[in-house]
Amino acid sequence: MDNCIFCKIANGEIPSATLYEDGDFRVILDLGPASKGHALILPKTHAANLYELPDELAAKAMVLAKKMGAKLSGALGSDGLNVVQNNGKAAGQTVFHFHIHLIPRNQGDGVGVSWTPGKLTDEVKEEILSKIHA
Ligand code: AMP
Ligand code: ZN
């Protein structure tokens, strides 16, 4: 993708604060961090979102999230970690090159990775189950 900023960052054409790099991925610090240490896992090949990401890279990305999450949390002494991955504008995706957010968390930090829980009704449950199992 010629005009994709994350392609350019992942492949080193644009400099970034790189925490880790291998043949498939670059892990960088987010320029607009939700918390101290907020990092992004970027594949070096372009995929707009999770659905476009080849299975092999999807699997490797989750293993890398585990490794880098542990390393970040250990280095920063964080209490917790959110692993966030947005697909589509409606879900908050703003850069359309697949990425995983690693967001170190601390007790009472007020970082807003949350929602107000609703209630799963029998009607909605049945609707979804019938559509998925159709
Ligand atoms: P999303 O909303 O899931 O698409 O996340 C995009 C993320 O990329 C946001 O957290 C931005 O702060 C971050 N971001 C955008 N441009 C850059 C950049 N050039 N370098 C580092 N992070 C960036
Ligand atoms: Zn890209």
Side-chain angles (χ1 to χ4, degrees), residues 1 4-8 43 45-47 96-98:
M1 274 280 286
C4 173
I5 186 157
F6 279 5
C7 276
K8 290 178 179 155
T45 51
H46 184 82
F96 294 88
H97 174 123
F98 172 90

Side-chain angles (χ1 to χ4, degrees), residues 72-124:
L72 260 181
S73 292
L76 299 176
S78 316
D79 297 331
L81 177 80
N82 289 117
V83 179
V84 175
Q85 199 276 307
N86 301 323
N87 298 284
K89 194 170 168 224
Q93 188 176 10
T94 59
V95 180
F96 294 88
H97 174 123
F98 172 90
H99 51 281
I100 295 176
H101 295 261
L102 300 176
I103 304 175
R105 298 295 304 275
N106 285 296
Q107 210 64 48
D109 62 14
V111 173
V113 186
S114 63
W115 56 86
T116 305
K119 175 91 180 84
L120 179 63
T121 63
D122 286 344
E123 189 189 353
V124 171

Side-chain angles (χ1 to χ4, degrees), residues 20-87:
Y20 173 84
E21 183 184 5
D22 63 23
D24 295 316
F25 298 98
R26 183 184 295 270
V27 183
I28 66 166
L29 289 178
D30 195 298
L31 280 186
S35 69
K36 183 177 172 184
H38 183 168
L40 301 172
I41 297 177
L42 311 179
K44 291 187 171 180
T45 51
H46 184 82
N49 52 44
L50 181 61
Y51 308 115
E52 285 191 7
L53 193 67
D55 288 356
E56 189 195 342
L57 281 180
K60 285 181 177 176
M62 188 52 88
V63 174
L64 187 53
K66 180 179 166 182
K67 285 185 184 157
M68 286 306 301
K71 185 151 191 179
L72 260 181
S73 292
L76 299 176
S78 316
D79 297 331
L81 177 80
N82 289 117
V83 179
V84 175
Q85 199 276 307
N86 301 323
N87 298 284

